[in-house]
mmCIF file of all heavy atoms in Angstrom:
data_model
loop_
_atom_site.group_PDB
_atom_site.id
_atom_site.type_symbol
_atom_site.label_atom_id
_atom_site.label_comp_id
_atom_site.label_asym_id
_atom_site.label_seq_id
_atom_site.Cartn_x
_atom_site.Cartn_y
_atom_site.Cartn_z
ATOM 1 N N MET O 92 0.851 -1.186 0.000
ATOM 2 C CA MET O 92 0.000 0.000 0.000
ATOM 3 C C MET O 92 0.895 1.246 0.000
ATOM 4 O O MET O 92 1.867 1.308 0.751
ATOM 5 C CB MET O 92 -0.879 -0.012 1.248
ATOM 6 C CG MET O 92 -1.904 1.101 1.266
ATOM 7 S SD MET O 92 -2.820 1.181 2.818
ATOM 8 C CE MET O 92 -3.695 -0.360 2.807
ATOM 9 N N ASN O 93 0.564 2.229 -0.843
ATOM 10 C CA ASN O 93 1.432 3.397 -0.886
ATOM 11 C C ASN O 93 1.186 4.301 0.328
ATOM 12 O O ASN O 93 0.142 4.236 0.969
ATOM 13 C CB ASN O 93 1.279 4.140 -2.224
ATOM 14 C CG ASN O 93 -0.007 4.926 -2.316
ATOM 15 O OD1 ASN O 93 -0.366 5.658 -1.395
ATOM 16 N ND2 ASN O 93 -0.710 4.789 -3.418
ATOM 17 N N PRO O 94 2.172 5.131 0.661
ATOM 18 C CA PRO O 94 2.105 5.937 1.891
ATOM 19 C C PRO O 94 0.906 6.883 1.929
ATOM 20 O O PRO O 94 0.318 7.080 2.993
ATOM 21 C CB PRO O 94 3.419 6.725 1.861
ATOM 22 C CG PRO O 94 4.306 5.969 0.959
ATOM 23 C CD PRO O 94 3.442 5.263 -0.036
ATOM 24 N N ILE O 95 0.547 7.450 0.809
ATOM 25 C CA ILE O 95 -0.592 8.386 0.799
ATOM 26 C C ILE O 95 -1.877 7.657 1.135
ATOM 27 O O ILE O 95 -2.689 8.112 1.940
ATOM 28 C CB ILE O 95 -0.693 9.091 -0.574
ATOM 29 C CG1 ILE O 95 0.504 10.014 -0.754
ATOM 30 C CG2 ILE O 95 -2.003 9.877 -0.680
ATOM 31 C CD1 ILE O 95 0.604 10.648 -2.118
ATOM 32 N N ARG O 96 -2.051 6.492 0.537
ATOM 33 C CA ARG O 96 -3.247 5.694 0.794
ATOM 34 C C ARG O 96 -3.307 5.265 2.267
ATOM 35 O O ARG O 96 -4.355 5.307 2.893
ATOM 36 C CB ARG O 96 -3.222 4.472 -0.125
ATOM 37 C CG ARG O 96 -4.554 3.797 -0.253
ATOM 38 C CD ARG O 96 -4.415 2.650 -1.229
ATOM 39 N NE ARG O 96 -5.515 1.738 -1.050
ATOM 40 C CZ ARG O 96 -6.612 1.743 -1.784
ATOM 41 N NH1 ARG O 96 -6.749 2.613 -2.759
ATOM 42 N NH2 ARG O 96 -7.577 0.886 -1.563
ATOM 43 N N ARG O 97 -2.166 4.876 2.789
ATOM 44 C CA ARG O 97 -2.112 4.467 4.197
ATOM 45 C C ARG O 97 -2.462 5.646 5.109
ATOM 46 O O ARG O 97 -3.179 5.497 6.093
ATOM 47 C CB ARG O 97 -0.708 3.950 4.520
ATOM 48 C CG ARG O 97 -0.670 3.144 5.797
ATOM 49 C CD ARG O 97 0.695 2.549 6.031
ATOM 50 N NE ARG O 97 1.260 1.965 4.818
ATOM 51 C CZ ARG O 97 2.519 1.640 4.647
ATOM 52 N NH1 ARG O 97 3.377 1.849 5.617
ATOM 53 N NH2 ARG O 97 2.948 1.111 3.531
ATOM 54 N N PHE O 98 -1.948 6.821 4.751
ATOM 55 C CA PHE O 98 -2.235 8.020 5.529
ATOM 56 C C PHE O 98 -3.732 8.327 5.518
ATOM 57 O O PHE O 98 -4.347 8.585 6.561
ATOM 58 C CB PHE O 98 -1.443 9.204 4.951
ATOM 59 C CG PHE O 98 -1.764 10.520 5.597
ATOM 60 C CD1 PHE O 98 -1.282 10.816 6.871
ATOM 61 C CD2 PHE O 98 -2.541 11.450 4.944
ATOM 62 C CE1 PHE O 98 -1.585 12.029 7.472
ATOM 63 C CE2 PHE O 98 -2.857 12.661 5.533
ATOM 64 C CZ PHE O 98 -2.369 12.956 6.807
ATOM 65 N N LEU O 99 -4.351 8.287 4.342
ATOM 66 C CA LEU O 99 -5.784 8.575 4.234
ATOM 67 C C LEU O 99 -6.604 7.553 5.017
ATOM 68 O O LEU O 99 -7.603 7.900 5.651
ATOM 69 C CB LEU O 99 -6.213 8.579 2.761
ATOM 70 C CG LEU O 99 -5.674 9.752 1.937
ATOM 71 C CD1 LEU O 99 -6.063 9.593 0.479
ATOM 72 C CD2 LEU O 99 -6.188 11.075 2.484
ATOM 73 N N GLN O 100 -6.170 6.319 4.986
ATOM 74 C CA GLN O 100 -6.890 5.278 5.716
ATOM 75 C C GLN O 100 -6.782 5.514 7.229
ATOM 76 O O GLN O 100 -7.766 5.321 7.963
ATOM 77 C CB GLN O 100 -6.306 3.913 5.355
ATOM 78 C CG GLN O 100 -7.268 2.775 5.574
ATOM 79 C CD GLN O 100 -6.746 1.507 4.928
ATOM 80 O OE1 GLN O 100 -5.697 0.995 5.321
ATOM 81 N NE2 GLN O 100 -7.465 0.995 3.954
ATOM 82 N N ALA O 101 -5.611 5.971 7.678
ATOM 83 C CA ALA O 101 -5.430 6.254 9.102
ATOM 84 C C ALA O 101 -6.336 7.409 9.529
ATOM 85 O O ALA O 101 -6.960 7.366 10.587
ATOM 86 C CB ALA O 101 -3.967 6.589 9.377
ATOM 87 N N ILE O 102 -6.424 8.455 8.692
ATOM 88 C CA ILE O 102 -7.295 9.597 8.996
ATOM 89 C C ILE O 102 -8.746 9.138 9.073
ATOM 90 O O ILE O 102 -9.482 9.495 9.995
ATOM 91 C CB ILE O 102 -7.162 10.685 7.898
ATOM 92 C CG1 ILE O 102 -5.751 11.248 7.885
ATOM 93 C CG2 ILE O 102 -8.201 11.783 8.110
ATOM 94 C CD1 ILE O 102 -5.387 12.063 9.091
ATOM 95 N N ARG O 103 -9.142 8.333 8.095
ATOM 96 C CA ARG O 103 -10.527 7.842 8.062
ATOM 97 C C ARG O 103 -10.821 7.009 9.308
ATOM 98 O O ARG O 103 -11.866 7.138 9.920
ATOM 99 C CB ARG O 103 -10.755 7.026 6.794
ATOM 100 C CG ARG O 103 -12.214 6.672 6.575
ATOM 101 C CD ARG O 103 -12.416 5.895 5.279
ATOM 102 N NE ARG O 103 -11.803 6.548 4.138
ATOM 103 C CZ ARG O 103 -10.952 5.963 3.295
ATOM 104 N NH1 ARG O 103 -10.620 4.708 3.450
ATOM 105 N NH2 ARG O 103 -10.449 6.629 2.288
ATOM 106 N N SER O 104 -9.873 6.206 9.692
ATOM 107 C CA SER O 104 -10.057 5.361 10.872
ATOM 108 C C SER O 104 -10.198 6.216 12.130
ATOM 109 O O SER O 104 -11.011 5.931 13.003
ATOM 110 C CB SER O 104 -8.872 4.409 10.988
ATOM 111 O OG SER O 104 -8.991 3.630 12.143
ATOM 112 N N LEU O 105 -9.420 7.297 12.204
ATOM 113 C CA LEU O 105 -9.530 8.200 13.350
ATOM 114 C C LEU O 105 -10.899 8.871 13.379
ATOM 115 O O LEU O 105 -11.533 8.987 14.428
ATOM 116 C CB LEU O 105 -8.448 9.280 13.270
ATOM 117 C CG LEU O 105 -7.055 8.865 13.713
ATOM 118 C CD1 LEU O 105 -6.054 9.985 13.437
ATOM 119 C CD2 LEU O 105 -7.052 8.520 15.190
ATOM 120 N N LEU O 106 -11.360 9.314 12.234
ATOM 121 C CA LEU O 106 -12.638 10.024 12.154
ATOM 122 C C LEU O 106 -13.817 9.112 12.463
ATOM 123 O O LEU O 106 -14.801 9.548 13.051
ATOM 124 C CB LEU O 106 -12.821 10.639 10.754
ATOM 125 C CG LEU O 106 -11.880 11.794 10.422
ATOM 126 C CD1 LEU O 106 -12.072 12.240 8.983
ATOM 127 C CD2 LEU O 106 -12.114 12.968 11.364
ATOM 128 N N THR O 107 -13.719 7.883 12.072
ATOM 129 C CA THR O 107 -14.846 6.966 12.259
ATOM 130 C C THR O 107 -14.667 6.097 13.492
ATOM 131 O O THR O 107 -15.530 5.280 13.793
ATOM 132 C CB THR O 107 -15.003 6.041 11.038
ATOM 133 O OG1 THR O 107 -13.843 5.230 10.923
ATOM 134 C CG2 THR O 107 -15.237 6.831 9.770
ATOM 135 N N GLY O 108 -13.558 6.259 14.206
ATOM 136 C CA GLY O 108 -13.303 5.432 15.365
ATOM 137 C C GLY O 108 -12.983 3.998 14.966
ATOM 138 O O GLY O 108 -13.002 3.105 15.795
ATOM 139 N N GLY O 109 -12.673 3.787 13.701
ATOM 140 C CA GLY O 109 -12.312 2.458 13.229
ATOM 141 C C GLY O 109 -13.508 1.552 13.010
ATOM 142 O O GLY O 109 -13.369 0.406 12.627
ATOM 143 N N ALA O 110 -14.707 2.062 13.276
ATOM 144 C CA ALA O 110 -15.904 1.235 13.137
ATOM 145 C C ALA O 110 -16.350 1.160 11.681
ATOM 146 O O ALA O 110 -16.193 2.117 10.931
ATOM 147 C CB ALA O 110 -17.025 1.819 13.970
ATOM 148 N N PRO O 111 -16.895 0.031 11.268
ATOM 149 C CA PRO O 111 -17.414 -0.069 9.909
ATOM 150 C C PRO O 111 -18.615 0.859 9.720
ATOM 151 O O PRO O 111 -19.324 1.162 10.671
ATOM 152 C CB PRO O 111 -17.858 -1.519 9.778
ATOM 153 C CG PRO O 111 -17.427 -2.210 11.001
ATOM 154 C CD PRO O 111 -17.025 -1.200 12.018
ATOM 155 N N LEU O 112 -18.814 1.287 8.493
ATOM 156 C CA LEU O 112 -19.946 2.168 8.186
ATOM 157 C C LEU O 112 -21.277 1.529 8.567
ATOM 158 O O LEU O 112 -22.198 2.214 9.012
ATOM 159 C CB LEU O 112 -19.973 2.474 6.681
ATOM 160 C CG LEU O 112 -19.053 3.565 6.167
ATOM 161 C CD1 LEU O 112 -19.261 3.715 4.671
ATOM 162 C CD2 LEU O 112 -19.294 4.867 6.887
ATOM 163 N N CYS O 113 -21.380 0.230 8.377
ATOM 164 C CA CYS O 113 -22.653 -0.471 8.613
ATOM 165 C C CYS O 113 -23.190 -0.241 10.025
ATOM 166 O O CYS O 113 -24.397 -0.197 10.226
ATOM 167 C CB CYS O 113 -22.500 -1.957 8.348
ATOM 168 S SG CYS O 113 -21.946 -2.324 6.691
ATOM 169 N N ASP O 114 -22.283 -0.082 10.998
ATOM 170 C CA ASP O 114 -22.728 0.114 12.379
ATOM 171 C C ASP O 114 -23.576 1.366 12.531
ATOM 172 O O ASP O 114 -24.371 1.469 13.461
ATOM 173 C CB ASP O 114 -21.521 0.220 13.318
ATOM 174 C CG ASP O 114 -20.839 -1.114 13.538
ATOM 175 O OD1 ASP O 114 -21.329 -2.128 12.997
ATOM 176 O OD2 ASP O 114 -19.815 -1.142 14.234
ATOM 177 N N LYS O 115 -23.378 2.337 11.610
ATOM 178 C CA LYS O 115 -24.105 3.603 11.721
ATOM 179 C C LYS O 115 -25.101 3.785 10.590
ATOM 180 O O LYS O 115 -25.635 4.870 10.396
ATOM 181 C CB LYS O 115 -23.098 4.767 11.702
ATOM 182 C CG LYS O 115 -22.086 4.711 12.821
ATOM 183 C CD LYS O 115 -20.982 5.725 12.621
ATOM 184 C CE LYS O 115 -20.107 5.305 11.440
ATOM 185 N NZ LYS O 115 -19.011 6.237 11.184
ATOM 186 N N CYS O 116 -25.325 2.742 9.806
ATOM 187 C CA CYS O 116 -26.163 2.863 8.611
ATOM 188 C C CYS O 116 -27.609 2.463 8.909
ATOM 189 O O CYS O 116 -27.872 1.472 9.584
ATOM 190 C CB CYS O 116 -25.598 1.968 7.516
ATOM 191 S SG CYS O 116 -26.570 1.988 6.009
ATOM 192 N N LYS O 117 -28.513 3.249 8.377
ATOM 193 C CA LYS O 117 -29.929 2.956 8.669
ATOM 194 C C LYS O 117 -30.440 1.734 7.913
ATOM 195 O O LYS O 117 -31.549 1.266 8.179
ATOM 196 C CB LYS O 117 -30.803 4.171 8.380
ATOM 197 C CG LYS O 117 -31.008 4.525 6.940
ATOM 198 C CD LYS O 117 -31.984 5.699 6.859
ATOM 199 C CE LYS O 117 -32.316 6.073 5.436
ATOM 200 N NZ LYS O 117 -33.270 7.189 5.387
ATOM 201 N N TYR O 118 -29.647 1.194 6.991
ATOM 202 C CA TYR O 118 -30.061 -0.014 6.264
ATOM 203 C C TYR O 118 -29.525 -1.292 6.908
ATOM 204 O O TYR O 118 -29.711 -2.379 6.388
ATOM 205 C CB TYR O 118 -29.595 0.050 4.812
ATOM 206 C CG TYR O 118 -30.133 1.234 4.064
ATOM 207 C CD1 TYR O 118 -29.294 2.057 3.326
ATOM 208 C CD2 TYR O 118 -31.492 1.537 4.103
ATOM 209 C CE1 TYR O 118 -29.786 3.156 2.650
ATOM 210 C CE2 TYR O 118 -31.987 2.640 3.433
ATOM 211 C CZ TYR O 118 -31.130 3.440 2.714
ATOM 212 O OH TYR O 118 -31.619 4.532 2.048
ATOM 213 N N ASP O 119 -28.833 -1.140 8.052
ATOM 214 C CA ASP O 119 -28.215 -2.301 8.686
ATOM 215 C C ASP O 119 -29.184 -3.007 9.634
ATOM 216 O O ASP O 119 -28.987 -3.049 10.848
ATOM 217 C CB ASP O 119 -26.945 -1.868 9.432
ATOM 218 C CG ASP O 119 -26.170 -3.051 9.999
ATOM 219 O OD1 ASP O 119 -26.183 -4.110 9.361
ATOM 220 O OD2 ASP O 119 -25.561 -2.908 11.070
ATOM 221 N N TYR O 120 -30.253 -3.530 9.096
ATOM 222 C CA TYR O 120 -31.151 -4.361 9.904
ATOM 223 C C TYR O 120 -31.876 -5.328 8.981
ATOM 224 O O TYR O 120 -32.064 -5.057 7.782
ATOM 225 C CB TYR O 120 -32.151 -3.502 10.697
ATOM 226 C CG TYR O 120 -33.163 -2.781 9.859
ATOM 227 C CD1 TYR O 120 -34.414 -3.354 9.595
ATOM 228 C CD2 TYR O 120 -32.884 -1.528 9.324
ATOM 229 C CE1 TYR O 120 -35.350 -2.689 8.818
ATOM 230 C CE2 TYR O 120 -33.814 -0.861 8.545
ATOM 231 C CZ TYR O 120 -35.050 -1.441 8.300
ATOM 232 O OH TYR O 120 -35.970 -0.786 7.528
ATOM 233 N N GLY O 121 -32.262 -6.467 9.551
ATOM 234 C CA GLY O 121 -33.008 -7.478 8.790
ATOM 235 C C GLY O 121 -32.342 -7.792 7.462
ATOM 236 O O GLY O 121 -31.130 -7.944 7.373
ATOM 237 N N ASN O 122 -33.170 -7.889 6.426
ATOM 238 C CA ASN O 122 -32.671 -8.198 5.093
ATOM 239 C C ASN O 122 -32.672 -6.973 4.192
ATOM 240 O O ASN O 122 -32.637 -7.103 2.968
ATOM 241 C CB ASN O 122 -33.529 -9.293 4.450
ATOM 242 C CG ASN O 122 -33.415 -10.609 5.207
ATOM 243 O OD1 ASN O 122 -32.345 -10.945 5.707
ATOM 244 N ND2 ASN O 122 -34.514 -11.337 5.306
ATOM 245 N N VAL O 123 -32.721 -5.802 4.800
ATOM 246 C CA VAL O 123 -32.801 -4.557 4.018
ATOM 247 C C VAL O 123 -31.592 -4.395 3.108
ATOM 248 O O VAL O 123 -31.707 -4.069 1.937
ATOM 249 C CB VAL O 123 -32.952 -3.347 4.950
ATOM 250 C CG1 VAL O 123 -32.910 -2.050 4.154
ATOM 251 C CG2 VAL O 123 -34.256 -3.448 5.725
ATOM 252 N N CYS O 124 -30.403 -4.645 3.656
ATOM 253 C CA CYS O 124 -29.186 -4.511 2.855
ATOM 254 C C CYS O 124 -28.633 -5.891 2.527
ATOM 255 O O CYS O 124 -28.425 -6.703 3.427
ATOM 256 C CB CYS O 124 -28.142 -3.706 3.612
ATOM 257 S SG CYS O 124 -26.548 -3.711 2.782
ATOM 258 N N THR O 125 -28.405 -6.135 1.247
ATOM 259 C CA THR O 125 -27.857 -7.432 0.831
ATOM 260 C C THR O 125 -26.448 -7.281 0.256
ATOM 261 O O THR O 125 -25.939 -8.191 -0.387
ATOM 262 C CB THR O 125 -28.772 -8.090 -0.216
ATOM 263 O OG1 THR O 125 -28.940 -7.185 -1.306
ATOM 264 C CG2 THR O 125 -30.133 -8.434 0.378
ATOM 265 N N ARG O 126 -25.843 -6.121 0.475
ATOM 266 C CA ARG O 126 -24.495 -5.926 -0.063
ATOM 267 C C ARG O 126 -23.509 -6.906 0.566
ATOM 268 O O ARG O 126 -23.570 -7.165 1.765
ATOM 269 C CB ARG O 126 -24.014 -4.495 0.220
ATOM 270 C CG ARG O 126 -24.648 -3.465 -0.659
ATOM 271 C CD ARG O 126 -23.991 -2.128 -0.449
ATOM 272 N NE ARG O 126 -24.323 -1.242 -1.546
ATOM 273 C CZ ARG O 126 -23.625 -1.181 -2.682
ATOM 274 N NH1 ARG O 126 -22.573 -1.914 -2.854
ATOM 275 N NH2 ARG O 126 -24.001 -0.355 -3.632
ATOM 276 N N PRO O 127 -22.592 -7.440 -0.222
ATOM 277 C CA PRO O 127 -21.622 -8.413 0.304
ATOM 278 C C PRO O 127 -20.677 -7.789 1.323
ATOM 279 O O PRO O 127 -20.127 -8.507 2.166
ATOM 280 C CB PRO O 127 -20.878 -8.902 -0.939
ATOM 281 C CG PRO O 127 -21.109 -7.857 -1.977
ATOM 282 C CD PRO O 127 -22.439 -7.223 -1.659
ATOM 283 N N GLU O 128 -20.478 -6.471 1.257
ATOM 284 C CA GLU O 128 -19.537 -5.843 2.195
ATOM 285 C C GLU O 128 -20.129 -5.661 3.590
ATOM 286 O O GLU O 128 -19.428 -5.368 4.539
ATOM 287 C CB GLU O 128 -18.991 -4.518 1.669
ATOM 288 C CG GLU O 128 -19.998 -3.517 1.213
ATOM 289 C CD GLU O 128 -20.308 -3.630 -0.273
ATOM 290 O OE1 GLU O 128 -20.765 -4.711 -0.688
ATOM 291 O OE2 GLU O 128 -20.140 -2.647 -1.001
ATOM 292 N N ARG O 129 -21.439 -5.862 3.717
ATOM 293 C CA ARG O 129 -22.055 -5.801 5.037
ATOM 294 C C ARG O 129 -21.595 -7.006 5.870
ATOM 295 O O ARG O 129 -21.573 -8.119 5.335
ATOM 296 C CB ARG O 129 -23.572 -5.809 4.872
ATOM 297 C CG ARG O 129 -24.327 -5.621 6.178
ATOM 298 C CD ARG O 129 -25.816 -5.690 5.913
ATOM 299 N NE ARG O 129 -26.548 -5.678 7.154
ATOM 300 C CZ ARG O 129 -27.804 -6.153 7.285
ATOM 301 N NH1 ARG O 129 -28.435 -6.645 6.238
ATOM 302 N NH2 ARG O 129 -28.408 -6.099 8.429
ATOM 303 N N PRO O 130 -21.270 -6.888 7.116
ATOM 304 C CA PRO O 130 -21.436 -5.720 7.980
ATOM 305 C C PRO O 130 -20.166 -4.911 8.183
ATOM 306 O O PRO O 130 -20.097 -4.151 9.144
ATOM 307 C CB PRO O 130 -21.850 -6.372 9.302
ATOM 308 C CG PRO O 130 -21.007 -7.616 9.349
ATOM 309 C CD PRO O 130 -20.887 -8.067 7.888
ATOM 310 N N ASN O 131 -19.173 -5.092 7.320
ATOM 311 C CA ASN O 131 -17.886 -4.439 7.575
ATOM 312 C C ASN O 131 -17.503 -3.445 6.494
ATOM 313 O O ASN O 131 -16.314 -3.263 6.228
ATOM 314 C CB ASN O 131 -16.800 -5.509 7.721
ATOM 315 C CG ASN O 131 -17.039 -6.406 8.910
ATOM 316 O OD1 ASN O 131 -17.271 -5.926 10.010
ATOM 317 N ND2 ASN O 131 -17.010 -7.707 8.697
ATOM 318 N N ALA O 132 -18.490 -2.793 5.866
ATOM 319 C CA ALA O 132 -18.185 -1.844 4.794
ATOM 320 C C ALA O 132 -17.360 -0.674 5.326
ATOM 321 O O ALA O 132 -17.673 -0.107 6.373
ATOM 322 C CB ALA O 132 -19.471 -1.338 4.175
ATOM 323 N N ARG O 133 -16.305 -0.348 4.606
ATOM 324 C CA ARG O 133 -15.492 0.829 4.945
ATOM 325 C C ARG O 133 -15.853 1.984 4.036
ATOM 326 O O ARG O 133 -15.572 3.143 4.328
ATOM 327 C CB ARG O 133 -14.011 0.506 4.819
ATOM 328 C CG ARG O 133 -13.558 -0.542 5.795
ATOM 329 C CD ARG O 133 -13.502 0.006 7.209
ATOM 330 N NE ARG O 133 -13.312 -1.071 8.165
ATOM 331 C CZ ARG O 133 -13.269 -0.900 9.477
ATOM 332 N NH1 ARG O 133 -13.394 0.306 9.986
ATOM 333 N NH2 ARG O 133 -13.114 -1.914 10.275
ATOM 334 N N SER O 134 -16.419 1.657 2.903
ATOM 335 C CA SER O 134 -16.977 2.674 2.020
ATOM 336 C C SER O 134 -18.160 2.026 1.329
ATOM 337 O O SER O 134 -18.157 0.821 1.086
ATOM 338 C CB SER O 134 -15.944 3.159 1.013
ATOM 339 O OG SER O 134 -15.636 2.140 0.108
ATOM 340 N N CYS O 135 -19.199 2.813 1.083
ATOM 341 C CA CYS O 135 -20.401 2.236 0.505
ATOM 342 C C CYS O 135 -21.256 3.337 -0.116
ATOM 343 O O CYS O 135 -21.569 4.323 0.554
ATOM 344 C CB CYS O 135 -21.193 1.521 1.594
ATOM 345 S SG CYS O 135 -22.745 0.835 0.993
ATOM 346 N N PRO O 136 -21.642 3.187 -1.371
ATOM 347 C CA PRO O 136 -22.444 4.229 -2.032
ATOM 348 C C PRO O 136 -23.861 4.311 -1.489
ATOM 349 O O PRO O 136 -24.523 5.332 -1.662
ATOM 350 C CB PRO O 136 -22.438 3.802 -3.505
ATOM 351 C CG PRO O 136 -22.122 2.352 -3.496
ATOM 352 C CD PRO O 136 -21.285 2.093 -2.266
ATOM 353 N N ASP O 137 -24.314 3.261 -0.826
ATOM 354 C CA ASP O 137 -25.687 3.275 -0.291
ATOM 355 C C ASP O 137 -25.771 3.698 1.166
ATOM 356 O O ASP O 137 -26.851 3.753 1.740
ATOM 357 C CB ASP O 137 -26.307 1.871 -0.416
ATOM 358 C CG ASP O 137 -26.551 1.503 -1.852
ATOM 359 O OD1 ASP O 137 -26.656 2.416 -2.687
ATOM 360 O OD2 ASP O 137 -26.634 0.291 -2.146
ATOM 361 N N TYR O 138 -24.633 3.987 1.757
ATOM 362 C CA TYR O 138 -24.634 4.322 3.179
ATOM 363 C C TYR O 138 -25.514 5.539 3.476
ATOM 364 O O TYR O 138 -25.442 6.552 2.787
ATOM 365 C CB TYR O 138 -23.206 4.619 3.648
ATOM 366 C CG TYR O 138 -23.138 5.269 5.014
ATOM 367 C CD1 TYR O 138 -23.400 4.523 6.159
ATOM 368 C CD2 TYR O 138 -22.837 6.609 5.161
ATOM 369 C CE1 TYR O 138 -23.368 5.102 7.411
ATOM 370 C CE2 TYR O 138 -22.803 7.201 6.400
ATOM 371 C CZ TYR O 138 -23.064 6.459 7.536
ATOM 372 O OH TYR O 138 -23.041 7.038 8.769
ATOM 373 N N ARG O 139 -26.369 5.388 4.501
ATOM 374 C CA ARG O 139 -27.170 6.514 4.996
ATOM 375 C C ARG O 139 -27.108 6.491 6.515
ATOM 376 O O ARG O 139 -27.345 5.445 7.121
ATOM 377 C CB ARG O 139 -28.634 6.399 4.571
ATOM 378 C CG ARG O 139 -28.860 6.525 3.072
ATOM 379 C CD ARG O 139 -28.585 7.933 2.567
ATOM 380 N NE ARG O 139 -28.762 8.036 1.124
ATOM 381 C CZ ARG O 139 -27.846 7.726 0.212
ATOM 382 N NH1 ARG O 139 -26.667 7.286 0.599
ATOM 383 N NH2 ARG O 139 -28.102 7.833 -1.061
ATOM 384 N N ARG O 140 -26.800 7.649 7.084
ATOM 385 C CA ARG O 140 -26.693 7.707 8.542
ATOM 386 C C ARG O 140 -28.039 7.430 9.188
ATOM 387 O O ARG O 140 -29.067 7.868 8.681
ATOM 388 C CB ARG O 140 -26.195 9.097 8.924
ATOM 389 C CG ARG O 140 -25.592 9.168 10.301
ATOM 390 C CD ARG O 140 -24.810 10.459 10.461
ATOM 391 N NE ARG O 140 -25.588 11.581 9.909
ATOM 392 C CZ ARG O 140 -25.632 12.777 10.480
ATOM 393 N NH1 ARG O 140 -24.988 13.016 11.579
ATOM 394 N NH2 ARG O 140 -26.316 13.753 9.923
ATOM 395 N N LYS O 141 -28.005 6.721 10.325
ATOM 396 C CA LYS O 141 -29.247 6.411 11.060
ATOM 397 C C LYS O 141 -29.902 7.682 11.565
ATOM 398 O O LYS O 141 -29.234 8.604 11.963
ATOM 399 C CB LYS O 141 -28.932 5.526 12.266
ATOM 400 C CG LYS O 141 -28.730 4.074 11.904
ATOM 401 C CD LYS O 141 -28.509 3.272 13.162
ATOM 402 C CE LYS O 141 -28.089 1.847 12.824
ATOM 403 N NZ LYS O 141 -27.674 1.074 13.978
HETATM 404 S S1 SF4 Q 143 -25.920 -0.012 2.720
HETATM 405 FE FE1 SF4 Q 143 -23.700 -0.175 2.856
HETATM 406 S S2 SF4 Q 143 -23.144 0.791 4.824
HETATM 407 FE FE2 SF4 Q 143 -25.351 0.327 4.851
HETATM 408 S S3 SF4 Q 143 -25.538 -1.687 5.812
HETATM 409 FE FE3 SF4 Q 143 -25.428 -1.999 3.616
HETATM 410 S S4 SF4 Q 143 -23.250 -2.334 3.185
HETATM 411 FE FE4 SF4 Q 143 -23.410 -1.412 5.203
#
């Protein structure tokens, strides 16, 4: 991984507390979301805050 990418990932981890997006997504219940990256999505075009 190149240094810039690693740096951006570290910043993102600090901002999100390292938690996956799904933990804060309003689609993270039942069978609403069928994306394969659930429940550990780090980026997701369908993410919506609860
Ligand atoms: S829409 Fe994306 S962020 Fe939300 S639960 Fe599904 S995979 Fe996770």
Side-chain angles (χ1 to χ4, degrees):
M92 186 186 295
N93 75 48
I95 292 174
R96 197 177 161 97
R97 197 175 316 165
F98 174 75
L99 291 175
Q100 203 168 64
I102 296 291
R103 189 178 309 127
S104 177
L105 281 174
L106 291 175
T107 63
L112 278 181
C113 302
D114 287 358
K115 301 170 290 180
C116 178
K117 72 176 183 179
Y118 301 130
D119 186 34
Y120 68 93
N122 295 324
V123 175
C124 172
T125 56
R126 285 188 164 273
E128 52 268 60
R129 185 182 173 202
N131 297 310
R133 296 288 169 182
S134 68
C135 177
D137 292 338
Y138 167 73
R139 294 291 178 276
R140 200 165 44 141
K141 281 183 189 172

